[in-house]
């Protein structure tokens, strides 16, 4: 009986959750200021358009790449001319074991992007600063809410498809 308990404990230890960040890197980066230098000769009245997407894929055994793509287009509020366009794909490699199904999907869709976002935010701010524009500090993002909305849309889509 003690052997059975010992074997069960070993089986549980093998299935324990393992999560580690292996690497954080920029996958793609772009900064454009198509109306320079004219954009610097008028008062800066920005209108910010922001687009944010996440994706993930398995790239090895228990190894997943998660990518946050952030695109910010800033234009002059009155004239509509583009001041700058910045796009960053911030990525990370995560080793995740012991999670399956919805738990794994939630980790890849909400938790991992939360880890990566501060890096994307800093990268965008740095690029904008190098373009000689005032800092663009993006507000924190609630990836939990984004994930919940995505799941709700998927559920509604599958309900209407049936």
């Amino acid at each position: 009986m003690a052997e059975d308990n010992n074997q069960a404990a070993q089986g549980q230890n093998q299935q324990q959750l393992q999560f580690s960040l292996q690497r954080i890197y920029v996958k793609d980066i772009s900064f454009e200021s198509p109306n320079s230098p004219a954009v610097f000769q008028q008062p800066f009245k920005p209108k910010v358009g922001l687009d944010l997407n996440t994706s993930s894929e398995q790239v090895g055994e228990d190894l997943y790449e998660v990518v946050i793509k952030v695109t910010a287009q800033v234009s002059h509020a009155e004239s509509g001319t583009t001041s700058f366009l910045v796009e960053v794909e911030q990525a990370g490699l995560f080793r995740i074991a012991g999670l399956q199904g919805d738990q794994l999907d939630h980790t890849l869709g909400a938790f991992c992007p939360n880890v990566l976002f501060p890096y994307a935010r800093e990268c965008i701010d740095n690029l904008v600063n190098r373009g000689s524009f005032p800092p663009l500090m993006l507000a924190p993002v609630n990836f939990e809410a984004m994930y919940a909305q995505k799941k709700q849309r998927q559920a509604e889509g599958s309900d209407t498809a049936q």
Side-chain angles (χ1 to χ4, degrees), residues 5 17 82 160:
N5 288 339
L17 172 63
T82 299
T160 59

Side-chain angles (χ1 to χ4, degrees), residues 11 16 30 35 37 40-41 43 81 84 96 103-104 107 122 133 152 158:
Q16 283 184 347
S30 172
N35 295 305
F40 300 119
Q41 297 170 352
T81 58
F84 64 86
I96 305 170
Q103 288 181 323
L104 177 61
T107 300
E122 186 274 333
F133 291 95
Q152 184 177 1
S158 65

